[in-house]
Amino acid sequence: INMSHKWIIKALLIFFVVMASIIGYVLFFPMPIPNNNYQLIVNKNESVASVAADLYEHDIIKSKFVFTGLLRLSHKDRKVVAGLYFIKHSMSLWGVISRITNGKPDQISITIIDGWSTDEIRNYVNNLQNIQHLTAGYSESQLKNVLRISYPNLEGAFYPSTYFIAPNQTDLEIYQLAYRLMKVKVESYFLNRSKYTNYANPYQLLIMASLIQKETNNKNDMQLISTVFNNRLKRGMKLQDDPSVFYGLKHKAIIGRRDFLIDTPYNTYLHNGLPITPICTPSDAALLAASQATNESQLLYFVAIGLGKTKFSSNFGEHKTAINKYLKK
């Protein structure tokens, strides 16, 4: 081999080493993620070129051409799964390819909190990102009709839980999931209620659960509050539930004792029986408590005494003593 051939061979070797280094760098060297948090949304039927352009624009990959070419050469372009991907750590181009073709996209988690009102739930859903907002402009009546909800209004209709959905699902689907689950829960608890409850239908159990939810977060006290309220219903006594009164006056900034004389459908000091609708979305614990009133028929009063605890009494004298002892202190 003469000298010219040796130089050609050396040049070719250097070229291949350099090319291999470049390819290795492009494929396997991790790129830093901006702000350590990037969300890639791959829509259904979105082209590989569009995904590559998005990744390149946000500096997640070094070459969109290498990305698309490698996907197609490895036949992984047919395995890209639509969905949401949270990319939180440095990742190589090949790592990104593996991430979006492993069949496991991330899901969006949506959490409806115990005790929220319908207005709070709708405000929360309206501000969610990465979903389609079809109902943001709907009135409560319009949304109720679309969901085919037979309740007087939407209060208490949506079960508080964490829901997992794919990106670009609609807010309507979220409401459908939450309503269906609440309906199943309430009907199940109604069918399995204790004989010491006084409900004509599942909706009344839902109303009771909402009152219990607003009275306490203490699961141990919930069942006894249910017992007190059911005892009062059975005896024809007014429930005298403060949170229900507050709900009926929800447009008032400051509420005093005189406001308890204002007549609303939620004033349980003026009207016998349950209020006309729930006053919030009750938790599973509150639904269970509403369904399982006990046989302690002597319990007729309770008062919150602080630190999440409740004092129960069997007559007004005991109740008045508890009020003087705990509330006035």
Side-chain angles (χ1 to χ4, degrees):
I1 300 174
N2 57 36
M3 290 297 294
S4 62
H5 287 162
K6 287 182 178 181
W7 278 110
I8 291 172
I9 291 171
K10 284 183 179 180
L12 286 172
L13 285 172
I14 292 171
F15 173 78
F16 285 122
V17 169
V18 170
M19 288 303 296
S21 299
I22 292 173
I23 291 171
Y25 174 77
V26 170
L27 286 180
F28 302 111
F29 191 83
M31 287 280 281
I33 304 301
N35 301 319
N36 294 318
N37 189 9
Y38 172 70
Q39 296 181 19
L40 171 66
I41 296 177
V42 179
N43 295 305
K44 191 174 182 180
N45 300 321
E46 185 174 4
S47 69
V48 169
S50 174
V51 175
D54 190 356
L55 290 166
Y56 181 74
E57 182 182 344
H58 291 89
D59 296 322
I60 306 301
I61 58 174
K62 301 175 184 70
S63 171
K64 54 186 175 182
F65 303 109
V66 173
F67 181 84
T68 54
L70 192 58
L71 268 172
R72 286 168 179 151
L73 283 172
S74 61
H75 301 295
K76 285 183 176 287
D77 56 323
R78 302 169 189 173
K79 296 181 179 179
V80 174
V81 179
L84 174 70
Y85 296 88
F86 293 112
I87 301 176
K88 298 182 179 180
H89 307 288
S90 298
M91 190 172 287
S92 67
L93 184 146
W94 183 252
V96 174
I97 288 176
S98 299
R99 179 73 182 86
I100 67 173
T101 59
N102 68 2
K104 297 178 181 178
D106 294 303
Q107 293 177 305
I108 303 169
S109 66
I110 293 166
T111 302
I112 297 174
I113 304 296
D114 306 344
W116 273 0
S117 67
T118 299
D119 288 344
E120 288 173 309
I121 293 172
R122 293 198 69 188
N123 183 61
Y124 168 70
V125 172
N126 288 344
N127 285 286
L128 290 172
Q129 297 181 342
N130 302 323
I131 68 167
Q132 294 184 53
H133 293 279
L134 302 182
T135 70
Y138 284 16
S139 67
E140 182 172 352
S141 178
Q142 286 174 317
L143 181 56
K144 187 168 81 77
N145 291 337
V146 169
L147 293 170
R148 298 180 180 177
I149 293 176
S150 59
Y151 301 158
N153 64 21
L154 293 177
E155 202 68 80
F158 305 118
Y159 186 74
S161 184
T162 298
Y163 299 90
F164 296 94
I165 65 167
N168 290 321
Q169 280 189 254
T170 67
D171 52 3
L172 190 58
E173 291 174 278
I174 298 168
Y175 291 129
Q176 286 171 333
L177 285 170
Y179 170 59
R180 286 172 189 162
L181 186 53
M182 180 62 89
K183 195 166 185 292
V184 168
K185 289 277 187 180
V186 171
E187 289 176 355
S188 174
Y189 281 124
F190 180 74
L191 287 174
N192 295 286
R193 68 194 184 281
S194 81
K195 64 181 181 180
Y196 304 106
T197 59
N198 293 270
Y199 314 124
N201 52 56
Y203 189 60
Q204 289 189 347
L205 185 148
L206 177 61
I207 295 172
M208 178 64 81
S210 74
L211 302 184
I212 296 168
Q213 182 67 51
K214 280 300 185 181
E215 284 289 356
T216 185
N217 286 318
N218 187 315
K219 293 180 182 179
N220 295 325
D221 286 345
M222 282 183 172
Q223 188 176 23
L224 291 178
I225 290 174
S226 173
T227 300
V228 169
F229 280 151
N230 274 282
N231 287 342
R232 293 177 77 92
L233 286 176
K234 188 174 182 180
R235 295 191 183 199
M237 298 173 67
K238 293 180 175 66
L239 294 184
Q240 298 184 330
D241 177 61
D242 290 3
S244 182
V245 175
F246 301 155
Y247 181 85
L249 300 171
K250 57 186 173 183
H251 297 298
K252 276 185 73 73
I254 300 173
I255 297 174
R257 294 307 305 177
R258 288 184 180 181
D259 295 316
F260 281 69
L261 299 176
I262 297 174
D263 192 353
T264 77
Y266 297 92
N267 192 325
T268 51
Y269 282 81
L270 299 180
H271 299 285
N272 284 84
L274 292 162
I276 58 171
T277 73
I279 61 172
C280 70
T281 184
S283 63
D284 193 68
L287 289 167
L288 174 62
S291 73
Q292 297 302 313
T294 71
N295 65 348
E296 297 173 83
S297 58
Q298 78 281 5
L299 295 182
L300 294 171
Y301 302 91
F302 65 86
V303 61
I305 61 175
L307 300 176
K309 296 181 179 180
T310 307
K311 170 66 177 174
F312 296 90
S313 305
S314 58
N315 60 67
F316 186 70
E318 286 180 21
H319 181 57
K320 191 174 180 181
T321 300
I323 290 174
N324 289 331
K325 180 177 179 180
Y326 296 105
L327 293 192
K328 292 188 176 180
K329 184 176 69 174

